Amino acid sequence: MLQVCLNGARSPREHFHLPVRPEELAKAAADSIAAGATDIHLHPKAPDGTDSLDPHLVAAALRAVRAAAPGIPVGITTGAWTAPGPAERVRAIRAWTVLPDHASVNWHEPGADEVAAALLERGVGVEAGIHSGTDADQLFLRSPHRSRVLRVLAEVTDRTARGAANTAEALLERLRPVRTPLLLHGEAAGAWPVLTLAARRGLATRIGLEDTLLLPNGQVAADNAELVTAATEILATEAL
């Protein structure tokens, strides 16, 4: 599986094609699926570019993306920065009028179990975000929801090209007790080395403007679809 992460917690000032509005997310999603992505992750945003779990903004983003990429699973973030606290995130989830197929929950953040429970109650798949350099793996292994999540996102926070793959290997070792499918990905300069490692390991992975603005050759990507195209080439090469 190759997931495209369309925007992340970035500001539109960081990239000229960072999708924010529903119509922008829709085009980015359609172009990325045409380029080879098979799953979508996005951050619903307010008009000023800040991430939000507001039911109206979530519904508008999901409707637009699903119309542009029918039949493709669409997920969103529930990161701690999207609301003042865990209780507010839970209330927002319970107020959603349009549901995503899945949503990521960062297990090192306060309230992860409560947020995951609210998602599961509504039939939304949970992506358990396990960040390197945190105790999220241990918290997740003690969670009552550990056997109910859709997948584990093994998220490598080492942003260096030289160190990210080693950090990823260490994170995968810590996650050996996990029986849930894994999606491995990196960020910044570590995005491409980690994606290559995921391809070699036969793991699901992701790419998009959330994780990196640069192509493997160091040039700024034109958009998400160009990043996906580069990723599919790496995946095809490593599969040989």
Side-chain angles (χ1 to χ4, degrees):
M1 184 188 82
L2 177 60
Q3 184 180 83
V4 61
C5 46
L6 294 176
N7 51 7
R10 293 188 184 273
S11 160
R13 293 186 295 273
E14 296 180 63
H15 192 278
F16 52 96
H17 275 161
L18 187 84
V20 172
R21 298 190 298 272
E23 61 271 23
E24 296 169 344
L25 289 164
K27 184 179 187 311
D31 291 348
S32 297
I33 296 303
T38 58
D39 191 277
I40 298 165
H41 171 80
L42 61 88
H43 292 205
K45 291 182 180 288
D48 64 358
T50 57
D51 291 356
S52 175
L53 298 183
D54 176 87
H56 300 292
L57 296 174
V58 170
L62 291 175
R63 288 191 179 112
V65 168
R66 284 180 172 146
I72 303 298
V74 184
I76 68 173
T77 185
T78 64
W81 60 90
T82 59
E88 288 79 7
R89 283 187 285 156
V90 168
R91 278 197 291 271
I93 291 165
R94 289 175 175 162
W96 286 346
T97 56
V98 178
L99 299 177
D101 296 286
H102 50 76
S104 60
V105 179
N106 295 325
W107 233 266
H108 65 283
E109 294 176 348
D113 280 321
E114 291 78 8
V115 172
L119 292 168
L120 291 167
E121 287 168 6
R122 302 217 61 192
V124 177
V126 172
E127 294 182 308
I130 310 299
H131 289 225
S132 64
T134 73
D135 61 351
D137 59 309
Q138 295 304 310
L139 294 171
F140 177 70
L141 289 171
R142 295 195 296 268
S143 170
H145 309 303
R146 63 187 179 278
S147 63
R148 301 178 63 199
V149 303
L150 175 67
R151 67 177 67 93
V152 166
L153 304 181
E155 308 199 40
V156 179
T157 58
D158 186 332
R159 300 168 65 87
T160 66
R162 180 173 294 181
N166 289 336
T167 303
E169 294 277 15
L171 178 59
L172 291 175
E173 181 64 24
R174 290 172 66 90
L175 290 172
R176 282 184 66 187
V178 173
R179 296 292 175 258
T180 305
L182 297 179
L183 185 156
L184 176 66
H185 75 97
E187 60 185 40
W192 295 109
V194 173
L195 183 141
T196 301
L197 175 62
R200 290 174 182 164
R201 290 286 199 96
L203 297 173
T205 190
R206 80 178 199 184
I207 202 69
L209 292 175
E210 173 173 354
D211 287 346
T212 182
L213 305 179
L214 303 180
L215 295 165
N217 63 9
Q219 294 182 343
V220 177
D223 53 22
N224 281 289
E226 191 170 24
L227 291 169
V228 171
T229 297
T232 58
E233 292 172 354
I234 292 172
L235 294 174
T237 298
E238 294 298 330
L240 297 177

